Amino acid sequence: MVNELCYCPRLFYLEYVQREWAHNTDTLEGRLVHRRVDRQQGEVPSATELSGREEIHARSVLIGSDRLGAIARIDLIEAEDGALVPVDYKRGSPPSLERVPEGAYEPDRVQLCLQGLLLREEGYRADYGIIYFAETRTRVRIDFTEELIARTLSLLEEARHLARSGEMPPPLVNSPKCPRCSLVGICLPDETNLLKQSAAEASAPVRRLTPARDDRLPVYVQGHGHTIGLNGETLEVRSKGEVIAAVRLLEISHLVLFGNVQLSAQALRELASRDSIIVHLSHAGWLVAVTTPPPSKNIELRQRQFAAAADAELCLRLARAFVAGKIRNARTLLRRNGRDLPEKILRRLAQSRRRAERATALAELLGIEGTAARDYFAHFSMMFKGDAGSGRELSSFDFSSRNRRPPRDPVNALLSFLYAMLLKDVLATLVGVGFDPYLGFYHQPKYGRPALALDLMEEFRPIVADSVAIGLINNGEIRPSDFIARAGSVALTPEGRKRVIEAYERRLNTLVTHPLFNYPMSYRRIFEVQARLLARFLTGEVSIYPSFCTR
């Protein structure tokens, strides 16, 4: 952590205080480099028993000091002339001596120096250490000079002070350090800096420092009697003992189970160890339960969340952003897809959005949202198109108003299922970021209701769920035979659900240019960005929560 503080104080705070972590190529390669030295091996005699001629080759040695208030796991300890030499393994190659005359960057030097100081605390002599660069198999000697020792002790004290302060350091500005940082997708340095600046101050473009799409994707399993088990690094889906599907664990973001699907204890433990949640849905798609790993260690964020939920003014500010974003996106969807749409409807929705932005109470905001929703759904069917090939209208998908619990027609059944899919994705995102998904700001706490997930999904209902429903109907991907009617309620068949899930996942994988940051990313990635911007607002780093509104 002293290394991280020297490299970037914000990175230290994220890792040490908020306990955030994410892998990238560099960290995984570093883990591979350390694979051998991480295995404990060899012994180190006490300082009084150490002779000048003794050979020592001890790996993964844990050492600490109450006086310094620090601990370290030393990759390798060697001995020379009665002194111990700590050896620290690093991936990559050493910097050129023209750029860095000391032979290694300062963060690595202070980390090694602290290891030497800890050895001195145990009574050993430690005059220098070695940094071993695995790529070039180069050993670089670092002498523990008075200047290096003073810098190391200063950083150690700074680390303690920063950890106690409760204030996260600001992000670096346009720094070349950010692109290779594994936590850049959590830190959001350029995005946070942009939101902290005024329009006049904003100059440097926001860099896209994370992949536009996620490598890990959800896995959906539906089928009565299906079982899921673990086979090495693969999750296998079986029916009557026969493997019908297999997915590598490293490709899974979360697991979605419909109905009575059995999951083995081994698979459950392995998914939890990889921070993958398991969403349990009924056959119709209703949320039944969520199995999560241990809560995020970022207790600081949840403290801020609970404090904000008790602040009526703060709740109202966030609620206004959620609802205004939803109305703006609904109007955009109607304007893009509506046929023969009355101009007054677009004006009414624009007025509702402006009223939502000025609402003075949550009750008033609920009324504004309800009025906008009635206007929107009253004209929802105007976004349906007839079959150009046959000239017939899609009479099987008549729609006049929104109804639910249970939905009474195919369009409402389709919308309800898509909203359930959207809810589980937003919930999974919030759990991953470190929020409590059941404590919201607009939706009030209610037993069993993920209020914060409902809050954050508001702005995405039109542009994700509703857009998928319209595309499925207009493209003929969903048919009347994909629905089943029972006692006045309508639900999707298993085959219909499969088609809807495929279309929904295609939508989440679609790249869209972020209206504020001007770089492309998938909708799935936007969910996480919005959740982290909400966290930045709650911690006071940015003064507004910017709802996502498509252009």
Side-chain angles (χ1 to χ4, degrees), residues 143-156:
D143 290 313
F144 300 147
T145 64
E146 293 301 320
E147 293 80 9
L148 182 57
I149 291 172
R151 174 62 172 155
T152 302
L153 294 176
S154 172
L155 283 168
L156 192 58

Side-chain angles (χ1 to χ4, degrees), residues 163-410:
R164 289 193 299 262
S165 72
E167 296 293 332
M168 182 156 59
L172 302 178
V173 178
N174 203 30
S175 172
K177 296 179 179 180
C178 296
R180 297 297 292 268
C181 177
S182 67
L183 265 61
V184 68
I186 296 172
C187 173
L188 298 178
D190 289 15
E191 294 85 348
T192 302
N193 283 326
L194 177 71
L195 292 174
K196 291 170 70 174
Q197 296 171 344
S198 65
E201 294 172 328
S203 55
V206 176
R207 299 167 294 175
R208 183 171 68 80
L209 301 175
T210 57
R213 293 187 174 96
D214 293 327
D215 293 329
R216 295 172 34 169
L217 298 173
V219 171
Y220 299 85
V221 182
Q222 60 173 338
H224 183 71
H226 282 6
T227 61
I228 302 174
L230 190 64
N231 184 2
E233 289 292 303
T234 301
L235 208 63
E236 293 183 342
V237 182
R238 304 183 183 98
S239 178
K240 298 180 180 178
E242 180 182 351
V243 176
I244 59 174
V247 188
R248 293 190 300 170
L249 286 166
L250 59 84
E251 297 175 341
I252 301 174
S253 64
H254 60 276
L255 185 64
V256 186
L257 309 179
F258 288 89
N260 297 323
V261 177
Q262 303 297 316
L263 180 68
S264 73
Q266 294 88 341
L268 173 61
R269 285 196 299 269
E270 189 60 34
L271 287 168
S273 72
R274 296 168 185 255
D275 293 327
S276 298
I277 75 167
I278 302 161
V279 181
H280 306 263
L281 303 174
S282 68
H283 286 289
W286 297 103
L287 181 65
V288 175
V290 181
T291 305
T292 66
S296 164
K297 298 181 179 69
N298 189 355
I299 187 62
E300 184 179 72
L301 176 58
R302 291 195 291 280
Q303 286 177 319
R304 300 292 182 101
Q305 178 188 356
F306 275 71
D311 186 330
E313 179 58 32
L314 204 56
C315 287
L316 181 60
R317 287 177 61 191
L318 285 170
R320 285 196 295 243
F322 297 143
V323 174
K326 174 185 178 181
I327 297 174
R328 183 189 288 270
N329 286 332
R331 182 180 182 274
T332 298
L333 193 69
L334 272 177
R335 192 178 70 241
R336 286 179 179 175
N337 299 285
R339 296 178 301 120
D340 303 322
L341 196 66
E343 185 64 29
K344 65 178 182 179
I345 293 303
L346 297 179
R347 287 199 301 269
R348 282 168 61 103
L349 287 173
Q351 291 169 357
S352 293
R353 188 260 303 167
R354 289 192 291 269
R355 288 174 55 210
E357 292 172 339
R358 299 191 300 266
T360 58
L362 288 179
E364 178 187 357
L365 198 58
L366 283 166
I368 294 169
E369 183 193 15
T371 299
R374 282 193 297 272
D375 287 338
Y376 171 68
F377 283 116
H379 299 83
F380 191 81
S381 60
M382 289 186 171
M383 292 187 280
F384 299 161
K385 298 176 182 177
D387 188 333
S390 64
R392 64 179 175 84
E393 293 294 324
L394 299 178
S395 56
S396 300
F397 295 101
D398 289 337
F399 179 87
S400 58
S401 63
R402 179 81 176 106
N403 58 67
R404 56 198 181 100
R405 295 183 183 177
R408 298 178 180 85
D409 58 76

